Amino acid sequence: MDFIFTEEQTMLQDATRRFIANEASFDIRRKTLEKPSHGFNPAIWQGFADLGLLALHMPEAEGGLDGTATDTLLVMSAIGEGLVLEPYLASAVLASKAIAAMGNAQQRANYLPQLASGAITAVLAHDEVSTRFDRLNVQTRATPVAGGYLLNGHKSVIPHGGSADILLVTARLPDQQLAVFIIPKDAAGLRVLSYATVDGVAAAELELDQVSVSASVMLDAASDTEVAIGNLLDIGLAAVCAEAIGVLDKLLAATIDYAKNRKQFGIVIGKFQALQHKMADMVLHIEQARSMVYLAAVSCEDPDLKSRSIALSSAKVVIGQACRFVGQQAVQLHGGMGVTDELNVSHYFKRLMAIELQFGSTDHHLEMVARSLTESLT
């Protein structure tokens, strides 16, 4: 696939990589994990804002940079390389795009400048216990009352849900239409249980018990909220695939470096042909995954929903397989050191295992592709 970045896009990725290397190194990440007050480092978040990264996915008319899916790919790849903990995908991509796409003029004016400046963070609270990769399985209810709604439900494993200043909560109206409500983190009736997932990312369970909101906080500019949410989740899937490429590249580099220096029987282990074959297979998986990341980026905004669905599911399958193969080989080639907390290899491995499940597991998307092919033959 011929995929040449423009000069501006190359500069965007270089600037992001430099900032992460200098201001968000692995040692700084480790210190953030030891003090999980926010689940991320506010200074790094402000640095992202100063670079313009938080405005990248907002419309130019709203003061943003009107970035493309390819721009998202480049930034997310750099974020994967640095194993960044900050809520870039949750807040700067998904939540910002949700408000830009579904918010009315006043909602956009109220929230987009604050999100772009780093003053607040937001998350899309969509997944529930019963979702199981079914995007439209939303059990949270919004019951109309005088002047507004009462929300009841449970949102599960919401990345950065405990630290976000505002939550974009999806709920079903009495007529079964899907709606999105902007709720502040201190809303009465909202109970938040924060925790860290296996890869160190902060997440939360959100319990909504008779949360009262006014009608004005509902995002109502989208003609079809289900389609709009589907578009957002497709963009998120493509973005997390791009993050995986950054993680995979770093893991391969760490493994090759280890093989060049670790000696066994007086010989560096990288000279053993069997290990060279394993590393060659890792390269093969990563290059296949990289091509599918490019496909996902160009497909995630394809108006043909069927074509888009097949492309994104195919990409998630290939990348999920690469995450598992490369992660396991890297840990094995590092020997016992590969599973220790002291070595960054174990942290990259855990992030790959989490990515393999985000936005649908490998098995789920393989089934989606198989179903599409079967339907096309009947």
Side-chain angles (χ1 to χ4, degrees), residues 239-298:
V240 84
C241 287
E243 182 187 354
I245 282 297
V247 179
L248 290 166
D249 283 340
K250 290 293 286 189
L251 205 46
L252 176 65
T255 304
I256 291 175
D257 186 59
Y258 182 79
K260 286 180 177 177
N261 292 287
R262 176 76 169 96
K263 287 186 177 181
Q264 194 76 15
F265 308 116
I267 305 172
V268 292
I269 62 174
K271 289 187 177 295
F272 297 135
Q273 193 174 40
L275 302 192
Q276 291 174 0
H277 286 171
K278 283 182 179 290
M279 287 183 278
D281 287 341
M282 292 168 70
V283 172
L284 181 63
H285 273 275
I286 292 173
E287 291 310 309
Q288 287 175 335
R290 196 185 314 280
S291 295
M292 296 307 282
V293 165
Y294 295 159
L295 175 66
V298 299

Side-chain angles (χ1 to χ4, degrees), residues 52-68 71-72 91-105 107-109 111-113 115-116 221 232 235 301:
L53 298 181
L54 304 188
L56 184 63
H57 304 96
M58 297 179 188
E60 195 170 351
E62 311 285 351
L65 300 176
D66 218 6
T68 65
D71 298 330
T72 308
S91 183
V93 180
L94 295 179
S96 295
K97 279 184 171 291
I99 294 175
M102 293 183 279
N104 58 37
Q107 290 164 340
R108 296 198 303 271
Y111 294 111
L112 292 184
L115 288 168
L232 281 175
I235 290 169
E301 294 177 352

Side-chain angles (χ1 to χ4, degrees), residues 25-346:
S25 65
F26 189 78
D27 288 340
I28 293 174
R29 180 185 192 273
R30 192 185 292 279
K31 291 176 182 175
T32 302
L33 288 173
E34 292 170 354
K35 298 178 181 178
S37 56
H38 287 80
F40 65 93
N41 187 324
I44 295 174
W45 191 245
Q46 189 55 54
F48 281 173
D50 295 341
L51 274 177
L53 298 181
L54 304 188
L56 184 63
H57 304 96
M58 297 179 188
E60 195 170 351
E62 311 285 351
L65 300 176
D66 218 6
T68 65
T70 303
D71 298 330
T72 308
L73 181 161
L74 296 170
V75 173
M76 287 301 298
S77 176
I79 282 175
E81 292 173 7
L83 214 57
V84 168
L85 290 169
E86 282 58 41
Y88 191 78
L89 175 58
S91 183
V93 180
L94 295 179
S96 295
K97 279 184 171 291
I99 294 175
M102 293 183 279
N104 58 37
Q106 184 175 358
Q107 290 164 340
R108 296 198 303 271
N110 282 345
Y111 294 111
L112 292 184
Q114 294 188 76
L115 288 168
S117 69
I120 64 171
T121 60
V123 299
L124 177 66
H126 179 64
D127 286 346
E128 302 180 0
V129 174
S130 59
T131 300
R132 298 298 302 166
F133 308 138
D134 180 356
R135 296 174 167 189
L136 300 181
N137 187 0
V138 175
Q139 300 300 318
T140 299
R141 301 294 164 185
T143 305
V145 294
Y149 296 88
L150 285 178
L151 302 183
N152 288 281
H154 184 171
K155 298 295 181 181
S156 187
V157 199
I158 304 303
H160 302 283
S163 61
D165 297 287
I166 59 172
L167 306 163
L168 309 183
V169 177
T170 55
R172 291 283 177 193
L173 300 172
D175 62 1
Q176 298 305 310
Q177 292 295 310
L178 191 63
V180 183
F181 298 87
I182 303 177
I183 298 177
K185 64 180 180 181
D186 55 356
L190 173 65
R191 193 168 71 90
V192 179
L193 174 62
S194 299
Y195 51 86
T197 55
V198 66
D199 54 338
V201 173
E205 301 294 303
L206 308 176
E207 187 77 35
L208 297 106
D209 182 12
Q210 298 287 87
V211 175
S212 177
V213 297
S214 71
S216 63
V217 304
M218 186 169 73
L219 300 180
D220 58 357
S223 58
D224 190 329
T225 302
E226 285 192 0
V227 171
I229 291 294
N231 292 341
L232 281 175
L233 297 179
D234 283 346
I235 290 169
L237 188 155
V240 84
C241 287
E243 182 187 354
I245 282 297
V247 179
L248 290 166
D249 283 340
K250 290 293 286 189
L251 205 46
L252 176 65
T255 304
I256 291 175
D257 186 59
Y258 182 79
K260 286 180 177 177
N261 292 287
R262 176 76 169 96
K263 287 186 177 181
Q264 194 76 15
F265 308 116
I267 305 172
V268 292
I269 62 174
K271 289 187 177 295
F272 297 135
Q273 193 174 40
L275 302 192
Q276 291 174 0
H277 286 171
K278 283 182 179 290
M279 287 183 278
D281 287 341
M282 292 168 70
V283 172
L284 181 63
H285 273 275
I286 292 173
E287 291 310 309
Q288 287 175 335
R290 196 185 314 280
S291 295
M292 296 307 282
V293 165
Y294 295 159
L295 175 66
V298 299
S299 301
C300 68
E301 294 177 352
D302 185 345
D304 184 336
L305 295 182
K306 187 173 182 179
S307 171
R308 186 207 304 177
S309 175
I310 293 174
L312 290 177
S313 287
S314 300
K316 195 64 168 57
V317 169
V318 174
I319 288 156
Q321 292 170 339
C323 287
R324 188 161 290 271
F325 181 84
V326 174
Q328 290 176 342
Q329 295 302 318
V331 168
Q332 186 178 32
L333 289 173
H334 276 82
M337 289 296 291
V339 295
T340 61
D341 193 61
E342 287 74 13
L343 218 62
N344 62 9
V345 169
S346 66

